[in-house]
Every structure is written in C-alpha cells, then in structure tokens.
Amino acid sequence: MIEIKSSLEIESMRKASRVVAQVLLELKPRVKPGVSTAELDSFAEQRVRELGAVPAFLGYRGYPATLCVSINDEIVHGIPSPKRVIQDGDIVSLDMGAVREGFFGDAAVTVAAGRISGAARRLMDVTSKSLEMALSKVKAGARLGDVSHAVEKYALQNGMSVVKEFTGHGIGRHLHEEPSIPNFGKAGSGPVLKTGMTLAIEPMLCLGNAEVIVKNDGWTAVSADGSLAAHYEHTVAVTDEGCDILSAHG
Ligand code: MF3
Ligand code: CO
C-alpha cells in the first residue's frame, strides 16, 4: 500500500528534508582535494543536530555514519573514513537523510572536487537533468512508470547507463516505504500517483555499463567496470498540480 500523507505530515517531512538540503548545501564547498570523507561526515552530523533533526542513516541496518560519500566509480553507500581523502578531479556523491517530528527526508547530490574531466561533468549534468525529467512527470493521475521511464529515456538518449540494482522509494514515517521506484520502466505502467504520496526519487547513472559490485564492507556499491557514477535525489510530494520538492533549498 502506498500511504497518503496529510498536509500536516508533509510539513514535517518538509522540515526534515530542508535540514538535508541545507546541510548538503553547506557540504558542497567543503568537498575539496585533501579533505577526508570522515571530516565531511562529522560536519554533517553536527549540522543536522544543530538544525534540530536526527541523522537517518546512522544505525540504519547497521550503517555506521550520517552521510554516504561515494567517489568516482562508487555509486552509492560509500562509508566515510579518515583514510579516504578526496583528490583533485574526483566526483563525490553525498547522500543524506534526516528525521524530524517522526518524519524522514532524503536527498543526494554529486559534487566536483577541483578540476574534473569533461566526461565526468557530462555524467553529472545528465544525471541531474534525469532527476529533473523524472520530477516533471510527478503529478496526481500520472503513473509511476512515467517517472521511471523519464530517467531511463533521458539517460540512454545521452549515452549513459542506468543502475538497476538500487531504486528510489516511498518515504515518510520510515526511510523506505512503498513503492519502490526503479530508474527504468514503461511509461503508462505501474501505480497511479495520488496527491499526498511522498517519494524519494534518485537516479544513479554510470558512464560505462551499470553493473554493480558491493564491496567487502557490505555497503559500498561500485560499478563493476570501474566507470564513473553520479547520483542525485530529492524527496517530493505528489500534488494535484505536479510535484512539491520538499528537499528544495529555501
Ligand atoms: N538514499 C539512500 C536510500 O534511500 C541511502 C540509504 S543509506 C543507508 O537508500 F545507510 F541508510 F542505508
Ligand atoms: Co533514498
């Protein structure tokens, strides 16, 4: 069952999601060569708490940090470490969730460290735009497959591949709720979207083929061919008019 949230519940989700957006915004200029991913994580945890929320990933199924930091061929769920230092030319995906008033927000961005290659820039742009394409399909009466298909179509048109092992998800009182939101699928298929549904939409794209390997740490998902990956995510609410981006800045 896909839960419908009241407008009061959606306002709590907006508070949680805005904390995420704010902290991601503050992290961006801190993604620089020489900075360790553990430093980014401790900054994120401190800021989430200062802003009156609780880190959502910390302790989730044993995940040990506030932030997921996934560099270059790492797709998602990179675990912060003092030993992992950002290098010039890296692309760095930051993924974070927060809880406030019992409701979750979840968002991700990919950030360039120093001077990155043209291919890396294109991957970031196409992934970010594929999220926009997905959001543009969100509206009461549309189908979930319209959203999934929009990501896949835009990615393939631009020569990128779509990760199939991980999906977006419903979100609310739990980090992961129904429905699962693949980044591929058939337009006109799947559940009908209704006003008050809240979704975390998160395209993960690769430059090469998008086969995934999970490392021995049990979390870090990398592209099997070592190709670069990017990841963007927003928490949104479905409305009669379209899409209310809860994790937008502001
Ligand atoms: N945005 C990711 C997701 O929705 C992050 C989860 S990391 C975890 O699945 F540690 F919480 F699992
Ligand atoms: Co998510």
Side-chain angles (χ1 to χ4, degrees):
M1 212 234 352
I2 306 176
E3 219 184 273
I4 304 292
K5 275 78 176 182
S6 69
S7 37
L8 214 62
E9 291 172 326
I10 289 173
E11 287 321 305
S12 295
M13 290 186 65
R14 194 188 309 280
K15 288 183 195 168
S17 302
R18 281 215 174 142
V19 169
V20 176
Q22 176 63 29
V23 174
L24 290 177
L25 191 68
E26 293 179 18
L27 281 166
K28 278 186 189 175
R30 290 177 161 77
V31 173
K32 283 190 300 208
V35 174
S36 78
T37 58
E39 288 173 74
L40 297 175
D41 183 63
S42 35
F43 176 82
E45 178 170 3
Q46 187 191 330
R47 289 298 291 139
V48 168
R49 296 192 192 279
E50 281 170 2
L51 293 167
V54 173
F57 298 171
L58 188 61
Y60 180 85
R61 297 180 180 216
Y63 187 74
T66 293
L67 204 59
C68 297
V69 188
S70 309
I71 302 177
N72 296 335
D73 61 319
E74 296 170 352
I75 303 166
V76 284
H77 304 164
I79 302 174
S81 158
K83 285 186 253 167
R84 190 69 195 273
V85 175
I86 294 168
Q87 311 290 317
D88 187 49
D90 283 349
I91 62 169
V92 181
S93 297
L94 306 171
D95 185 359
M96 200 183 79
V99 194
R100 210 165 135 169
E101 297 167 2
F103 286 89
F104 285 74
D106 186 4
V109 287
T110 302
V111 182
R115 281 177 58 85
I116 63 169
S117 68
R121 168 58 56 195
R122 248 180 65 72
L123 172 68
M124 287 173 59
D125 290 346
V126 171
T127 311
S128 165
K129 189 75 193 293
S130 76
L131 174 57
E132 281 178 35
M133 300 302 260
L135 300 183
S136 76
K137 299 292 178 190
V138 172
K139 191 182 164 112
R143 310 281 290 257
L144 193 64
D146 302 341
V147 175
S148 297
H149 179 71
V151 173
E152 182 181 35
K153 185 175 162 205
Y154 190 78
L156 298 187
Q157 268 174 359
N158 286 281
M160 311 287 166
S161 61
V162 164
V163 172
K164 302 204 163 163
E165 280 82 354
F166 299 99
T167 65
H169 48 95
I171 180 168
R173 279 187 196 280
H174 307 275
L175 177 60
H176 295 134
E177 299 184 353
E178 282 181 50
S180 160
I181 310 175
N183 292 304
F184 60 94
K186 239 172 88 95
S189 73
V192 176
L193 300 183
K194 299 200 174 81
T195 292
M197 288 180 175
T198 45
L199 310 171
I201 301 175
E202 47 182 319
M204 290 151 259
L205 267 49
C206 286
L207 267 185
N209 81 50
E211 229 177 285
V212 173
I213 294 174
V214 176
K215 285 196 166 175
N216 287 335
D217 62 16
W219 283 101
T220 314
V222 300
S223 64
D225 64 0
S227 69
L228 292 179
H231 178 210
Y232 289 80
E233 176 176 20
H234 269 310
T235 294
V236 308
V238 179
T239 72
D240 292 347
E241 290 79 36
C243 175
D244 183 359
I245 304 176
L246 303 179
S247 53
H249 300 295

